Amino acid sequence: FFGPIIYILKNKGVRYFLIVAFIASVSFNYDKLVVLNSDPYFGSFVVYFLLAIIFLIISYFKNKENIFKIYIGNSKKFLILGLLNSLGAATVSIALLSGPALYVNSINRLYVLLTIIYGGIFLKEKNTLKRFIAGIIIISGVIIISLLG
């Protein structure tokens, strides 16, 4: 009965995912405010630029010796992923201008599947099919909750 709760307490990755999901659900409303009160592209640029700086600092402290070798050695892959992510952020910003944040956020969750595909293609992550199926299950759950809730 308590298996899922115990798993959450033992697995650091799952805890991080829950924290990220919570932050994302709260921050999406602020993203709407940023888009409404500034240029949508500029607002997205500032948000993603600050996130990039924060993650660069975190990754530097986690792996001081090789971090720049990793980034420079894979610069083409990171550039492609960055461009795709920027395109996604721009389209979400445009969508926020034309629709309620609740609906845009629900559709934005489909981005999980694209991220899984990008990870499999560009970063050669393992178990991509399993992750893709898990992503479909997650999104199906969101759809069911949205329809019944």
Side-chain angles (χ1 to χ4, degrees), residues 49-63:
F49 181 74
L50 292 175
L51 285 172
I53 297 299
I54 290 168
F55 284 124
L56 182 64
I57 292 169
I58 290 170
S59 61
Y60 173 75
F61 285 111
K62 289 275 189 184
N63 191 5

Side-chain angles (χ1 to χ4, degrees), residues 126-148:
K126 297 177 182 172
N127 301 323
T128 303
L129 182 61
K130 279 185 183 178
R131 292 176 187 197
F132 189 77
I133 292 170
I136 290 174
I137 292 169
I138 291 168
I139 291 171
S140 300
V142 169
I143 291 170
I144 290 169
I145 290 170
S146 298
L147 293 175
L148 299 178

Side-chain angles (χ1 to χ4, degrees), residues 8-23:
I8 290 170
L9 295 174
K10 287 183 177 180
N11 191 316
K12 189 190 303 187
V14 174
R15 286 195 310 266
Y16 285 157
F17 178 77
L18 288 174
I19 292 167
V20 168
F22 174 75
I23 292 170

